[in-house]
Amino acid sequence: MPRIHTYYPTDLQELSPRILWAFLTAALFTAFFYNLHGVPLFDLDEGAFSEATRDMLARGDFIATYLYGEPRYDKPILIYWLQALSVSAFGLNELALRLPSALAATGWMLLIFAFVRRVCDRHTALAAAIIGATSLGVIVIGKAAIADAALHLFIVGAMFAIYLHFKEGGVRWVYLAFLCMGLGFLTKGPVAVVIPLAVSLIFYGLKGEWRSWLRAAFNPLGIMLFLLIVLPWYLAITWREGPGFLMGFFLEHNLGRFQAPMHGHAGPFYFYLPVLLVALLPYTTVLIRTLWEVRESFREDLHGYLLTWFLFVLVLFSAAGTKLPHYIFYGITPLFILMALHLDRVRGRFWLFLPPALLFAGLLALPHLVDLIKPHLDDPFILALLTDHHVHFGPLWHAFFVIALAACLFFMLDRRIQRGYRLFLIGLTLNVGVAGLLLPAVAGVQQSPIRDAGLAARDLPETVVMWRLNNPSFSIYANRGVERRMPEPGEVAVTKEDSLDRLAHLPHEVLHARNGVILVRILEAP
């Protein structure tokens, strides 16, 4: 099969493929697997997905998901099945719950490599995958026990298959696109279909290929393949739960999120522009330069397709009522490829390494910034969580980010090391710093008290309830289901320490307390 070459960045071609492969291998490991088990589960998202999976296994029910004893209609079933398989193999722990996401994110990056290798060249393909695997936002998404990494894998697979069908023809790409859309629909719903179909419709229309699009979009075997993947579970859950699932999932959690802000997640129309600048660190300068220059090559097929993909996602979710940072990631993959294609056009060492230098300087100063902010906080629970925050920012924290900042400053001046190598070294440094230091520190402050309370509640004989908290990860560490309600005599409640005054009228005893999170037993009246 002949390769479709579009653009050869000259300096990038001078980099050693072996060294680039070493960079990619290190990036995949540090981004998605390093310290995967060493960070407590974050609430709400990781805790909610993980607890729904634990509950599924405990009930032996692989059709419906529940949280706090009530149906959870937020997401379809595939990610829960994947987590259940992992937990069955490796036990109920952070590694097992996050492993499906780590594997999906690895597949996502390797899919980028395979696609760009096919339509461009090996050097650009390696660069695109390395950029993706060393971007700040991907590091976080790729190892979180949520549905997004798997969804990105399937959306990207569909989008790549659509472009290859446009360039090469062949019905196999149509079937692959429908397969990926079906798996994506089973992972997170309509977004896995809306993006591929809408972007391809716009792109094919701009190219005057309406008939080709219609033939592909309405391919009978492709539609049948999609329905074979999607219908069995959707019919089963509807049969079990009645219209509640359809109303809750499609109307509230999909259409409702688009029409109005949900759970206070609103934002201005330009919300995702600063999100992109941060999510694509340390490549922010490359991103700005790429977006400035890519308009010149919009008529070229690959550039036009990638830019249409990104812009559609940006406009769609900028117009939506509910805005969450990770929504823009549905359109972030084309930016990895465009940045790799334009990497060598970025000039100015100072500006290239300024964004990561500022990031590392900010992280170095973070413990001291917390000290400055604490006197101005009036929430007793947050203050309690921050009681011993310095424990999580030790000498290793300061030494690492001093070295990382020094490396950025050195690379601003150095001319001997290839610029691509310098950028990728900073990317690997960011991976290690985020996975090994930043996430453990944030989780240590925010989640360790919840984890310790859950472990303390694991062997309690009483019924345990959650009151004035919403931390589903507690159930994972307690390995038991809990309801969210006011405790009754003879029960144990996990709650905030500052809520004790509301229990003053009831006899009680505190069983466990740490940084504002307590276990309290409500005693029977004498």
Side-chain angles (χ1 to χ4, degrees):
M1 178 69 64
R3 302 296 187 210
I4 305 163
H5 297 284
T6 56
Y7 172 69
Y8 290 93
T10 55
D11 293 343
L12 189 59
Q13 301 298 322
E14 297 175 3
L15 303 183
S16 166
R18 290 185 179 180
I19 296 178
L20 290 177
W21 269 114
F23 269 115
L24 179 56
T25 303
L28 293 175
F29 172 74
T30 54
F32 308 132
F33 299 97
Y34 169 55
N35 208 26
L36 194 62
H37 63 289
V39 180
L41 295 168
F42 282 95
D43 290 313
L44 289 170
D45 287 346
E46 278 199 307
F49 277 95
S50 300
E51 166 53 14
T53 296
R54 186 208 64 80
D55 179 80
M56 171 188 288
L57 287 168
R59 291 184 297 108
D61 175 7
F62 296 93
I63 300 298
T65 55
Y66 287 77
L67 184 65
Y68 297 131
E70 303 206 352
R72 186 170 196 251
Y73 293 149
D74 292 47
K75 304 294 182 293
I77 199 67
L78 184 56
I79 187 61
Y80 302 107
W81 286 345
L82 296 176
Q83 287 184 339
L85 284 172
S86 183
V87 168
S88 297
F90 303 108
L92 184 66
N93 53 62
E94 295 92 349
L95 186 148
L97 290 163
R98 290 172 174 147
L99 186 59
S101 290
L103 293 172
T106 301
W108 175 16
M109 296 301 115
L110 293 177
L111 201 58
I112 292 173
F113 167 78
F115 172 75
V116 181
R117 175 70 181 88
R118 187 178 190 89
V119 300
C120 296
D121 60 86
R122 180 174 56 177
H123 286 79
T124 306
L126 287 167
I130 294 169
I131 290 172
T134 53
S135 294
L136 177 60
V138 175
I139 302 169
V140 177
I141 288 288
K143 63 198 321 171
I146 57 178
D148 288 77
L151 176 64
H152 291 309
L153 174 65
F154 299 135
I155 288 179
V156 167
M159 296 300 292
F160 288 167
I162 289 168
Y163 181 78
L164 291 174
H165 173 70
F166 174 80
K167 295 299 291 185
E168 301 178 4
V171 74
R172 58 176 175 161
W173 300 120
V174 175
Y175 297 152
L176 179 58
F178 275 104
L179 171 66
C180 290
M181 286 190 289
L183 293 172
F185 202 87
L186 204 58
T187 301
K188 210 169 182 179
V191 67
V193 175
V194 170
I195 292 174
L197 287 185
V199 172
S200 61
L201 173 62
I202 295 169
F203 179 72
Y204 273 68
L206 291 173
K207 297 296 181 179
E209 296 287 345
W210 293 97
R211 292 181 179 177
S212 296
W213 185 87
L214 289 171
R215 283 195 299 270
F218 292 96
N219 181 285
L221 292 180
I223 294 173
M224 186 179 299
L225 176 61
F226 176 86
L227 294 176
L228 284 173
I229 295 169
V230 167
L231 277 184
W233 178 78
Y234 276 90
L235 290 176
I237 189 67
T238 304
W239 178 268
R240 276 272 307 274
E241 302 291 320
F245 170 78
L246 297 179
M247 298 288 289
F249 177 62
F250 287 106
L251 296 185
E252 179 182 356
H253 291 288
N254 283 274
L255 184 60
R257 286 176 184 266
F258 187 83
Q259 291 179 329
M262 184 172 287
H263 305 308
H265 296 300
F269 188 80
Y270 57 83
F271 175 84
Y272 290 108
L273 297 181
V275 170
L276 278 172
L277 297 179
V278 174
L280 288 174
L281 281 165
Y283 305 101
T284 305
T285 301
V286 181
L287 170 68
I288 295 171
R289 183 69 177 181
T290 297
L291 292 178
W292 180 257
E293 290 192 346
V294 75
R295 56 197 174 94
E296 301 173 2
S297 54
F298 182 78
R299 293 182 180 277
E300 195 274 334
D301 288 344
L302 180 61
H303 289 72
Y305 184 74
L306 296 174
L307 195 58
T308 301
W309 177 0
F310 164 67
L311 289 176
F312 175 80
V313 172
L314 177 64
V315 172
L316 177 67
F317 289 100
S318 295
T322 302
K323 292 181 174 65
L324 289 169
H326 63 273
Y327 289 170
I328 194 63
F329 280 68
Y330 304 142
I332 209 170
T333 296
L335 296 180
F336 300 150
I337 302 171
L338 290 170
M339 286 192 290
L341 288 167
H342 290 81
L343 186 60
D344 286 336
R345 298 187 181 184
V346 182
R347 295 292 180 253
R349 297 187 306 278
F350 174 81
W351 296 108
L352 193 61
F353 293 100
L354 179 61
L358 293 175
L359 173 64
F360 291 139
L363 291 173
L364 180 61
L366 183 58
H368 311 289
L369 293 175
V370 174
D371 286 331
L372 293 175
I373 293 172
K374 279 178 68 174
H376 303 285
L377 298 174
D378 56 7
D379 188 323
F381 182 60
I382 294 178
L383 284 169
L385 289 176
L386 294 173
T387 300
D388 56 356
H389 74 276
H390 276 290
V391 172
H392 306 287
F393 302 97
L396 180 59
W397 176 280
H398 292 85
F400 181 89
F401 288 113
V402 164
I403 293 172
L405 177 58
C408 288
L409 298 177
F410 173 75
F411 288 155
M412 286 180 182
L413 303 173
D414 180 73
R415 290 178 176 273
R416 292 168 297 176
I417 304 175
Q418 286 272 17
R419 184 176 47 182
Y421 292 155
R422 282 178 281 162
L423 263 178
F424 298 152
L425 280 170
I426 294 298
L428 287 179
T429 303
L430 179 63
N431 280 14
V432 174
V434 170
L437 293 170
L438 179 59
L439 292 179
V442 174
V445 172
Q446 176 183 314
Q447 296 299 127
S448 290
I450 296 293
R451 178 195 60 191
D452 291 350
L455 293 173
R458 178 165 287 196
D459 297 322
L460 291 177
E462 298 97 337
T463 297
V464 179
V465 301
M466 184 174 293
W467 180 53
R468 303 195 72 229
L469 277 175
N470 186 13
N471 292 85
S473 68
F474 171 84
S475 294
I476 297 295
Y477 296 109
N479 197 17
R480 62 197 300 168
V482 301
E483 297 179 7
R484 290 184 69 207
R485 57 174 174 81
M486 180 77 177
E488 298 178 358
E491 295 180 336
V492 173
V494 55
T495 187
K496 301 176 184 178
E497 189 171 10
D498 61 296
S499 299
L500 272 179
D501 59 341
R502 302 194 180 203
L503 296 174
H505 64 290
L506 294 174
H508 62 269
E509 63 175 328
V510 175
L511 304 178
H512 169 88
R514 184 193 165 192
N515 291 26
V517 179
I518 64 170
L519 287 175
V520 56
R521 176 184 285 131
I522 309 301
L523 303 176
E524 300 282 354

